[in-house]
Amino acid sequence: MQLKEKHCVPCRGGVPPMSIEEAQEYLKEIAGWELLEGKKLVKEFKFAQYLEGVAFARRVGELAELEGHHPNIHIFYKKVRIEIWTHKVDGLTESDFILAAKIDDLTPQYPSLEGKGADCAVRRAGTMESPDGVWPGVYARYREYLPTIADEHIVTLLEGGTPLVRAYGLERQCGLSCALYLKCEGANPTGSFKDRGMTVAISQAKQASARAVICASTGNTAASAAAYAARAGMKAFVIVPEGQIALGKLAGSMIYGAQVIQIQGNFDQALQIVRAIAAEYPVTVVNSINPHRIEGQKTAAFEVCDALGQAPDYHALPVGNAGNITAYWRGYSEYFAAKKIAKRPVMLGFQAEGAAPLVLGHPVENPKTVATAIKIGNPASWQGAVRARDESGGLITTVSDAEILEAYKLIAQCEGIFCEPASAAAVAGVLKLARQDYFNPGSIVVCTLTGHGLKDPDTALMTTPMEPISTRAVLQEVLQAMGL
Ligand code: F0G
């Protein structure tokens, strides 16, 4: 099929228009585009990894939108097929060729990421390994690594399988030379990572015929325990520091039907009381001193490795009661022992300056921080955290409340991800270390965003620089408020 002369003026990167013959030569022989029936330009792009292709397809989509074009973009495994259809009924036009050339110009931005992990959001990691393609929850997905529990006792809300999102915006904004990924644990059923441990702890409690569970909490454990207990038909008692837990966590605990007891004291005192009650009464503790909690939480490390196809170089976490850093290290260590990964990451833990017992090396009697989730002065899993730090060659250090809130805003505004302040501590810490040139360029760094920002609307409203503008319901006033 010959091109129609009047419609064909391909130009590439300022190269002058070509003749029809040159255009065909360029398209087919050089650029590799196939011309079908004079109406369609088709080219297939191959990638070393599926996710690279996805990233490329997304960029092509953005570019096409800018050009006012609507090519068909088909994503296959490690291959993307682009079909540019003519705008006109009687043949391809200049804009079609220009788009083809611009797409070609994009490809050098997608060098092979082989060995560098996934390149974009990885939603519901591991889904493809489930026979029916449905995420089955962490117990069913990672059963072989978890304590044996009979199927009929499994209590699940299909937790886990959370997104691992590449933080391009933060990388750009902060001039990072490494690949930063965010493991968005706020996407769990009750809005925090606690659900991973809770499914295992509550299932185990059910298997042991427990009727009631109890925990001390800065809020997230309480909400998670309340939800899973409700599902299991058990009574939940949650002991929280009065006036010091975020609104959404209290609301969750109450609506799931837990008996909430607020003490005029802090988390550490609440945990002491819980231990004392459990020693005397038939109620199962579901804090992370319950080993099943740690077992469940380690699955997040498995998901990170499954999504990246390898372990990251560094893994950063906020540290409060220290169960989570202990759990991740166990997860990475078990995957390493099972030869699923070739090495384990360096573990980085971050505590708030006013609540940093692990950094100081002694308990803090009166912990203080805006990040109420990690306002803890005497972590129960102290030894686990120290082991994770030392065995991985990592560190546990502090970030200030100001640094936490700065990162909290940046994550929301650069990435569109709303996490709670404690979660932002990990990103604040990574940004601080990056400024000190701590990371080798090209490293893969994963930060766990432990809980959803909607848990703590008060801090969000307090921190945002903008006030809503109030107007009457009148078009002119709204336009004025928009600055139009
Ligand atoms: N981030 C969030 C959002 C948390 O809720 C917690 C702990 C942490 C980080 C720290 O994890 O304790 O395993 O070191 N929250 C517990 C609770 C204490 O009661 O909800 P950790």
Side-chain angles (χ1 to χ4, degrees), residues 83-97:
E83 297 176 356
I84 300 175
W85 289 77
T86 173
H87 274 185
K88 301 260 164 63
V89 285
D90 56 349
L92 289 158
T93 65
E94 185 183 12
S95 72
D96 302 314
F97 290 99

Side-chain angles (χ1 to χ4, degrees), residues 193-194 217-221 318-324 373-374 376 420 422 450:
F193 70 96
K194 304 290 181 178
S217 181
T218 54
N220 279 324
T221 301
V319 177
N321 210 24
N324 214 25
I374 52 172
I376 292 174
E420 60 172 289
T450 44

Side-chain angles (χ1 to χ4, degrees), residues 367-414:
K368 289 195 174 62
T369 168
V370 67
T372 52
I374 52 172
K375 195 167 164 183
I376 292 174
N378 191 9
S381 297
W382 189 301
Q383 288 315 321
V386 167
R387 210 172 308 122
R389 178 193 67 193
D390 296 346
E391 287 179 11
S392 73
L395 51 86
I396 298 178
T397 184
T398 58
V399 283
S400 69
D401 278 4
E403 286 166 333
I404 289 173
L405 292 178
E406 182 58 28
Y408 174 63
K409 277 188 284 188
L410 272 178
I411 300 162
Q413 291 168 14
C414 296

